[in-house]
Amino acid sequence: MGATEPVVVEKENETMAGAKTKEDLEKGEVGVEEERKAQNNNDVGDHKSHDHEESHLSSFHRLNPTNPLRIVINSSTRVATPSPAQSQRPHTNTRSTPAPQQNPQAVTLNSRKYTNRISLFIFVIHLFLAVALVCFLVFKGVQGLIQDSESTKRKEKAVLKYFLPQVEASSFMSIILAFIWQGAIRKWPTLMLHFILWFTFVMSLAAGVLLICFQKPATDGVGVCLIAFAIGNGLYACWVSHRIKFCCKVLSLSLQPVSKFPDLNKSTYHVLGAGFLWISLWVLAVIGALNFYFPPLTIIALVLSLIWIIEVMRNVVNITVSRAISLYYLRGMQSNTQFCFLRALTRNLGSACLGSLFVPTIEALRIVARGLNLLEGEDEFMFCCAHCCLRVMESIFRNGNSWAYVQIAAYGKGFVKASQDTWALFEKEDMVSIVDADITSSICFLTGVCSGSICVIVVAAWTHKVHQTFTATLSLLTFLIGYLLTRIAMAVPHACVSCYYVCYAENPDNRLFDKTIKDRQALLKTGRDVVPTPRGFRRYTRT
């Protein structure tokens, strides 16, 4: 045994020296060989002169491991020279330092994939067909003015004279009203929430009464609809009166980051300009549709196409603002809004197209479900209807909701995935009742209705004076245009509120958030504040 010990020790030293050399070379150190030789020289420098260094090293290897000199030198050497296992650990850690929480998020925040490609493909095809149809109908309109019979020429000239100016005026007026509403809400959020609730009631009621005063069947029908909506609006304003204080506070807090992005409204300017140009061309196509086959069906197809395109424009603004504000909350970044706008127009456009199709339907179902939720469960038939509707709405909201645009913008998720993840965050943080009682989307909707009602009042009075036949048609069309264009501008405050709720649910301890939501949760848990129409169906659950 004694004869083999020096050999084992020698091999051990060779292994340690080789491991040290390999590690140093992989790390890219300079002058490693010189340092190792200098260390060996210092270890044996007390024995003989520099000329006999090799003989002393060989005799040192043959020393018994229990020799005091060998123990002292080995201990000092092993402190400086790591073992093979230790020399490999730093190398492994050096290669695998991905920062497990930061790296995936950094990659996800800059996702380069296109979301919801199928809906994007369908929208691109639809847009191509819509542009082709509009251009063709414009050509048919010009052809009718030049080559058709005198009766057709007179009809088209009357449309150009008494139809086109009102539509253009209502479009221009809607854009002005849109920026007035947005600027007023950003400056006086608390005052404007109360003002919009009741001013919309007044304007829609006034528009309905005005149309009824014309005493024509078509205008009477439109007027009755507006009056019925005004009555529902008044009841809604009374019903949500106790929610306004909290919603005003959240709206004020969510609009604070807007001041850090001076060019945040650039996307709104571009989209509204494109919308104005498209509506101007679209109206000319409507005139040309009068000389085409099946004019009513063609005009209905044009109207549906217009609604989808303008809704996609609104959601492009929503995603642009959501990207800028959400990155500010999540990472403290002040993003380039132009880059956010280009990203929304390209990579996230498919999600905007899909959401534009389903979110309005979802919001309508939400209103129906809330109305049924007010019914008492005494009647078995009504109980079954309410219970079924609430279950359907539960599934819909879990797989598709307007809150999804925040995660679509921030993480590049698809619409359904973003909806599911966002709703899961709300459930995890016990925020479902809070976000479900938020009235920001209702305020934005009522703002669009208010602008549409103002356009109806102006255009209906103007048209009744110059050409009474077009009064009802222009009233409906200008109401739609006023509503759609105003909703584009109102996407900015809506996106800010959505980012506030979703980013808080993702990180409630973020220093950018105060205790507003936590205090609200405490009030709801203690029963001192009650949400009158919960989205869930606890009220109908039987034990």
Side-chain angles (χ1 to χ4, degrees):
M1 293 294 292
T4 59
E5 285 177 355
V7 179
V8 174
V9 174
E10 183 175 357
K11 289 183 178 180
E12 180 184 356
N13 288 337
E14 290 175 359
T15 304
M16 290 188 295
K20 175 65 177 176
T21 304
K22 182 179 180 181
E23 177 194 4
D24 293 338
L25 291 176
E26 287 177 349
K27 290 184 177 180
E29 295 181 359
V30 180
V32 174
E33 293 294 332
E34 290 78 0
E35 292 180 3
R36 184 169 61 82
K37 289 181 179 179
Q39 184 178 0
N40 292 333
N41 291 337
N42 292 332
D43 291 340
V44 298
D46 295 335
H47 296 284
K48 294 290 181 179
S49 63
H50 184 71
D51 297 334
H52 300 85
E53 179 180 1
E54 294 182 0
S55 61
H56 283 286
L57 284 175
S58 61
S59 61
F60 166 71
H61 288 311
R62 287 192 291 270
L63 286 175
N64 192 293
T66 59
N67 190 293
L69 179 60
R70 180 63 180 271
I71 294 173
V72 172
I73 296 177
N74 273 346
S75 62
S76 63
T77 305
R78 287 178 182 176
V79 171
T81 306
S83 64
Q86 291 174 343
S87 65
Q88 292 175 4
R89 284 197 196 108
H91 172 64
T92 303
N93 292 335
T94 304
R95 288 192 177 184
S96 59
T97 54
Q101 292 184 352
Q102 295 179 359
N103 229 12
Q105 289 180 356
V107 172
T108 308
L109 287 173
N110 295 299
S111 174
R112 297 183 179 276
K113 66 178 182 179
Y114 285 80
T115 59
N116 298 110
R117 296 183 180 182
I118 296 177
S119 58
L120 176 60
F121 178 73
I122 294 173
F123 178 76
V124 170
I125 292 179
H126 155 261
L127 189 61
F128 175 78
L129 294 176
V131 172
L133 178 62
V134 165
C135 292
F136 174 75
L137 292 177
V138 170
F139 168 75
K140 291 292 290 184
V142 174
Q143 187 182 39
L145 286 173
I146 298 174
Q147 298 179 357
D148 284 355
S149 61
E150 290 297 325
S151 61
T152 303
K153 290 181 180 179
R154 284 196 302 270
K155 183 173 64 174
E156 289 198 6
K157 287 180 180 179
V159 173
L160 285 174
K161 185 176 180 181
Y162 303 116
F163 192 90
L164 183 62
Q166 286 91 324
V167 175
E168 295 293 326
S170 64
S171 301
F172 187 72
M173 184 168 56
S174 300
I175 293 175
I176 295 176
L177 289 173
F179 283 115
I180 290 176
W181 291 123
Q182 188 200 113
I185 286 177
R186 289 171 58 179
K187 193 171 184 179
W188 308 293
T190 303
L191 174 64
M192 289 306 298
L193 252 67
H194 294 84
F195 181 79
I196 289 171
L197 281 172
W198 293 107
F199 191 67
T200 304
F201 165 75
V202 173
M203 288 293 101
S204 56
L205 183 64
V209 171
L210 177 64
L211 291 175
I212 290 179
C213 290
F214 294 149
Q215 296 182 355
K216 290 183 176 296
T219 56
D220 289 346
V222 179
V224 168
C225 293
L226 286 173
I227 291 174
F229 178 84
I231 294 173
N233 184 19
L235 295 175
Y236 178 78
C238 297
W239 179 43
V240 300
S241 58
H242 67 286
R243 301 188 205 170
I244 296 177
K245 183 178 179 181
F246 176 75
C247 292
C248 288
K249 189 173 183 180
V250 170
L251 181 60
S252 302
L253 293 172
S254 63
L255 289 174
Q256 289 179 0
V258 175
S259 60
K260 301 182 181 297
F261 302 91
D263 57 344
L264 192 63
N265 252 339
K266 275 189 176 180
S267 60
T268 311
Y269 302 148
H270 297 325
V271 171
L272 281 175
F276 178 80
L277 294 176
W278 177 249
I279 288 175
S280 301
L281 191 63
W282 180 86
V283 173
L284 295 176
V286 171
I287 297 173
L290 299 176
N291 296 328
F292 194 58
Y293 301 104
F294 308 108
L297 294 178
T298 305
I299 292 174
I300 290 174
L302 288 173
V303 169
L304 294 177
S305 173
L306 176 67
I307 293 174
W308 192 18
I309 291 174
I310 299 297
E311 279 293 306
V312 171
M313 290 180 176
R314 177 172 73 92
N315 287 323
V316 165
V317 176
N318 193 341
I319 292 175
T320 302
V321 177
S322 296
R323 171 98 181 159
I325 301 299
S326 62
L327 291 185
Y328 171 77
Y329 282 131
L330 297 174
R331 297 292 180 272
M333 299 167 54
Q334 288 187 340
S335 304
N336 186 348
T337 54
Q338 183 177 0
F339 172 77
C340 297
F341 180 54
L342 293 176
R343 185 182 177 88
L345 279 176
T346 53
R347 306 191 186 281
N348 301 136
L349 184 60
S351 298
C353 299
L354 184 62
S356 300
L357 283 176
F358 290 104
V359 169
T361 306
I362 291 170
E363 294 295 335
L365 288 175
R366 188 182 194 184
I367 295 172
V368 173
R370 283 184 166 181
L372 289 175
N373 198 26
L374 293 174
L375 300 174
E376 295 294 337
E378 301 298 333
D379 185 86
E380 287 295 329
F381 176 75
M382 297 307 298
F383 167 77
C384 293
C385 291
H387 192 69
C388 179
C389 186
L390 289 172
R391 281 189 177 275
V392 170
M393 195 191 72
E394 175 75 16
S395 176
I396 289 173
F397 263 77
R398 198 174 293 275
N399 297 282
N401 53 73
S402 59
W403 308 100
Y405 293 117
V406 178
Q407 292 212 2
I408 291 170
Y411 299 115
K413 298 180 181 179
F415 178 74
V416 176
K417 177 64 175 174
S419 301
Q420 294 171 348
D421 293 347
T422 303
W423 204 253
L425 284 174
F426 289 153
E427 291 178 339
K428 178 183 176 183
E429 297 298 330
D430 196 19
M431 292 176 57
V432 173
S433 59
I434 294 177
V435 299
D436 194 62
D438 184 73
I439 63 173
T440 305
S441 59
S442 301
I443 293 298
C444 295
F445 170 77
L446 292 176
T447 305
V449 172
C450 187
S451 294
S453 300
I454 294 173
C455 291
V456 168
I457 293 173
V458 175
V459 171
W462 179 6
T463 308
H464 184 74
K465 182 72 175 177
V466 297
H467 199 284
Q468 297 182 7
T469 308
F470 294 157
T471 303
T473 304
L474 281 173
S475 297
L476 285 174
L477 182 57
T478 55
F479 178 85
L480 179 65
I481 292 173
Y483 169 80
L484 293 175
L485 293 179
T486 301
R487 289 301 304 271
I488 291 176
M490 292 304 297
V492 175
H494 190 197
C496 291
V497 173
S498 299
C499 288
Y500 187 87
Y501 281 117
V502 176
C503 294
Y504 176 86
E506 186 169 342
N507 185 13
D509 298 326
N510 193 327
R511 60 181 179 83
L512 295 175
F513 300 111
D514 58 6
K515 296 183 178 180
T516 301
I517 296 180
K518 290 183 179 179
D519 294 341
R520 180 70 170 177
Q521 289 174 326
L523 288 174
L524 293 176
K525 288 179 180 179
T526 56
R528 286 180 289 174
D529 196 355
V530 180
V531 179
T533 56
R535 181 191 54 78
F537 39 85
R538 299 175 186 172
R539 181 177 175 179
Y540 300 102
T541 304
R542 294 182 177 180
T543 56

